[in-house]
């Protein structure tokens, strides 16, 4: 319902007092953008502007699956969200999705409308088959390697940056390319794409671009690791100018050694307010001079190493394949601290002003705690500042419980504050996000496999916990009503994304599932409460109040949609599949005139009384369309007379016959 209030205020001069009062009564939502992996440059994973979803309404009866976006390929990349985009002939909230099929999509965030889709493959150009690299189709990646990392969006510049991987089947060559796309059209910008050159020991075929993209200063930061530790590879980072796509820096963390992959289970590099970049490396050569396997690194935006920390057991970590960087770095908000941990299950806290280098006993750093036993940290930490419990750090390690730890502003509690009853079924553990309204209504969201998923594909589950009480009863999960809410197959590295009352979850099932409030608390409403345009399947025209009239008895017609508030309707579930439909401009209800039941009875607007002729039952037909049946005569349907396709035809009821002229889509205005 976000767009509704905006539309009212823009049209204030011509709106009735009743309409203004309705606007003021709507839930006040804040403009929310998720432009980068895990919400912000700290990689905190928290959205503190969520005013719709609360621990009291996220439950099996009120919350569930609204729809799924169909896409081509697995979605390792986290979906991103931009509010108020000028697109599709209006201003809309937009979700951007990138896939392993080398596709990028722009969808309406509040409906299943696709605005654009671009593909980087065709003809002899295909995504990279994983068997080209590993010779196996049941390891970390199954199928194709296309766009694995989460893109980065520069909203001010209107650009989404994406790293794609392709194969030319005509000659067997492999390429990696950086694309800068216009967020309104998908068109390439800045003369792109930029081809990543194969120099300095970099292999386009073997280097795996897993971590999300980041922006530091005016540079787009890209990082690489390996596939299944297959040589040759190094931990590479590159910086590209955001407006010219020129490469400006290259960093190799093991230039005179080997390995040192930077992967962080997909978590993008953390970036501080000065543009300094923080990553944690994996197994590889270490000498504390040029080679920095198993280390925290601080680099400037041109990728010069400024500081580092390496734990004193780095050699043991290397020998046991216990990557320090499996969980990734998070800058704790409001502090000068960076936190992260890896496969050994130890969290390290370092001061960004002096990371500490390497020293026996690790006493030079702020803190290290073994809060997860020997269980591996993969998804990594997220953060929330709770009004009730203070600052909290959350993590869900493999074969372990979801845990929260108290943070006092300087150190983290050595033992967990709370722990969920549910455990992750094995590797890789849970990938987390937090939604909250400031310091209240916190919810921890997690995606996990339904069985251990270090290799291959398994089913997935989404879980939700009260962030102030993760040890209490789970609020909701997608398998409580799996026939309605099932997310499909689990995909590693993809954190849930939450914005404006909806939760967006990627999968291995060629879809991104959207969850939200089902409407009216009934749990069975076919569409979510909200403000929509209502479009006829046959004519493509919208339900419109003739002449912008607002009085009782004003005629309702079909007309080409032009974003007028006389064509926008606030739809509210009354229980089951029944809704009231209120005009945004008039604040009056769509109704069957005079409660008539005869074929041809007109449709008008009138003060809402709750009468049966003002209640509409939605019955799904196909392709996202519905039959609208008035409560005063369930044998009839909202109808365009004679299947007319011209502007200005007054709507009516007619006996239901299944025609396209009796089918309607509810779309974001």
């Amino acid at each position: 319902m976000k767009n509704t209030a905006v539309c009212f205020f823009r049209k204030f001069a011509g709106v009735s007092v009743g309409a203004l009062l309705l606007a003021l009564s709507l839930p006040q939502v804040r403009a929310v953008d998720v432009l980068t992996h895990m919400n912000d440059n700290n990689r905190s994973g928290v959205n503190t502007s969520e005013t719709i979803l609360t621990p009291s309404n996220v439950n099996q009866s009120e919350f569930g699956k609204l729809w799924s976006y169909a896409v081509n390929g697995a979605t390792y990349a986290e979906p991103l969200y931009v509010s108020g985009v000028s697109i599709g002939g209006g201003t809309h909230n937009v979700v951007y999705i990138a896939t392993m099929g080398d596709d990028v999509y722009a969808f309406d965030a509040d409906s299943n409308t696709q605005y654009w889709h671009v593909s980087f493959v065709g003809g002899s150009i295909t995504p990279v088959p994983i068997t080209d690299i590993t010779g196996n189709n049941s390891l970390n990646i199954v199928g194709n390697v296309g766009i694995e990392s989460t893109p980065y969006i520069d909203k001010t510049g209107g650009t989404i940056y994406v790293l794609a991987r392709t194969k030319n089947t005509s000659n067997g060559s492999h390429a990696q390319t950086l694309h800068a796309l216009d967020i309104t059209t998908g068109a390439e910008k800045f003369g792109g794409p930029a081809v990543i050159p194969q120099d300095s020991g970099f292999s386009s075929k073997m280097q795996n671009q897993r971590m999300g993209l980041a922006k530091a200063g005016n540079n787009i930061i890209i990082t690489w690791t390996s596939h299944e530790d297959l040589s040759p590879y190094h931990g590479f980072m590159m910086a590209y100018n955001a407006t010219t796509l020129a490469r400006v820096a290259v960093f190799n963390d093991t230039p005179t050694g080997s390995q040192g992959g930077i992967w962080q289970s997909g978590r993008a590099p953390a970036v501080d307010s000065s543009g300094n970049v923080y990553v944690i490396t994996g197994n590889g050569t270490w000498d504390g001079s040029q080679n920095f396997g198993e280390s925290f690194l601080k680099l400037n935006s041109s990728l010069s190493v400024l500081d580092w920390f390496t734990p004193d057991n780095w050699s043991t970590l290397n020998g046991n394949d216990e990557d320090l960087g499996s969980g990734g770095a998070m800058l704790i908000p409001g502090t000068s601290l960076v936190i992260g941990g890896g496969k050994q299950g130890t969290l390290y806290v370092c001061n960004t002003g002096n990371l500490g280098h390497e020293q026996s006993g690790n006493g030079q750093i702020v803190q290290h705690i073994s809060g997860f036993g020997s269980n591996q940290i993969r998804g990594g930490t997220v953060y929330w500042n709770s009004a009730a419990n203070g600052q909290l750090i959350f993590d869900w390690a493999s074969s372990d419980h979801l845990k929260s730890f108290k943070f006092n502003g300087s150190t983290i509690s050595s033992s967990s504050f709370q722990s969920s009853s549910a455990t992750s079924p094995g590797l890789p553990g849970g990938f987390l996000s937090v939604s909250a309204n400031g310091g209240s209504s916190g919810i921890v969201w997690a995606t996990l496999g339904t069985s251990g998923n270090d290799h291959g594909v398994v089913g997935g589950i989404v879980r939700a916990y009260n962030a102030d009480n993760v040890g209490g009863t789970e609020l909701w999960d997608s398998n409580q009503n799996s026939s309605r809410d099932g997310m499909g197959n689990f995909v590693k590295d993809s954190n849930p994304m939450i914005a404006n009352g909806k939760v967006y979850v990627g999968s291995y099932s060629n879809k991104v599932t959207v969850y939200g409030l089902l409407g009216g608390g009934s749990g069975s409403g076919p569409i979510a409460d909200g403000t929509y345009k209502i479009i006829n399947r046959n004519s493509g025209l919208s339900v419109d109040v003739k002449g912008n009239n607002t009085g009782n008895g004003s005629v309702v017609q079909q007309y080409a949609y032009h974003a007028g508030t006389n064509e926008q309707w606030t739809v509210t579930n009354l229980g089951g599949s029944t809704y009231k439909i209120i005009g945004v401009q008039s604040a009056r209800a769509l109704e069957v005139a005079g409660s008539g039941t005869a074929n041809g009875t007109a449709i008008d607007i009138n003060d809402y009384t709750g009468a049966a002729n003002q209640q509409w039952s939605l019955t799904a037909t196909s392709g996202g369309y519905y039959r609208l049946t008035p409560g005063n005569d369930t044998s009839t349907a909202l109808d365009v007379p004679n299947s007319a396709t011209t502007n200005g035809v007054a709507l009516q009821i007619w006996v239901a016959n299944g025609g396209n002229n009796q089918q309607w889509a509810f779309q974001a205005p």
Side-chain angles (χ1 to χ4, degrees), residues 370-442:
S370 299
F372 304 95
S374 60
N375 298 310
Q376 296 187 20
I377 297 170
R378 293 287 189 95
T381 57
V382 296
Y383 167 92
W384 178 50
N385 189 357
S386 163
N389 290 309
Q391 299 181 77
L392 298 172
I393 304 288
F394 304 88
D395 209 329
W396 200 335
S398 65
S399 304
D400 202 355
H401 306 268
L402 167 63
K403 292 177 178 178
S404 62
F405 296 81
K406 284 202 167 186
F407 174 61
N408 64 14
S410 301
T411 58
I412 297 170
S413 55
S414 58
S415 58
S416 61
F417 169 54
Q418 294 174 340
S419 180
S420 69
S421 58
T423 60
S424 62
L427 290 169
F431 290 83
L432 307 181
S433 296
V434 179
S435 65
N437 184 2
S440 63
S441 299

Side-chain angles (χ1 to χ4, degrees), residues 339-352:
I339 184 173
K343 290 183 180 179
Q344 201 175 53
T346 300
L347 280 174
Y348 296 89
V349 183
C350 300
N351 190 313
T352 59

Side-chain angles (χ1 to χ4, degrees), residues 2 30-35 81-86 91-94 96 155 183 500:
K2 174 183 176 184
R30 306 168 188 168
V32 174
D33 294 309
V34 181
L35 308 177
Y81 185 105
V82 185
S83 62
V85 180
S86 295
T91 300
H92 304 281
N93 302 321
V94 182
Y96 296 87
K155 183 177 182 179
I183 64 172
N500 284 336

Side-chain angles (χ1 to χ4, degrees), residues 254-326:
T254 54
T256 62
S258 63
Q259 300 184 327
I262 312 173
W263 56 289
Q264 297 194 165
S265 293
R267 182 182 291 238
V271 182
D272 68 20
S273 59
S274 298
N276 298 314
V277 179
Y278 300 80
V279 297
I280 311 177
T281 66
N283 303 328
T285 305
W286 181 87
D287 58 23
S289 175
Q290 297 184 76
N291 300 296
F292 290 99
E294 308 286 18
S295 299
F296 282 60
L297 296 179
K298 175 182 178 180
L299 308 95
N300 64 20
S301 60
S302 297
L303 303 184
S304 295
V305 175
L306 302 177
D307 202 358
W308 54 273
F309 160 70
T310 307
D312 62 357
N313 65 341
W314 61 268
S315 181
T316 300
L317 296 179
N318 270 341
N320 294 333
D321 188 28
E322 293 179 315
D323 298 66
L324 179 66
S326 65

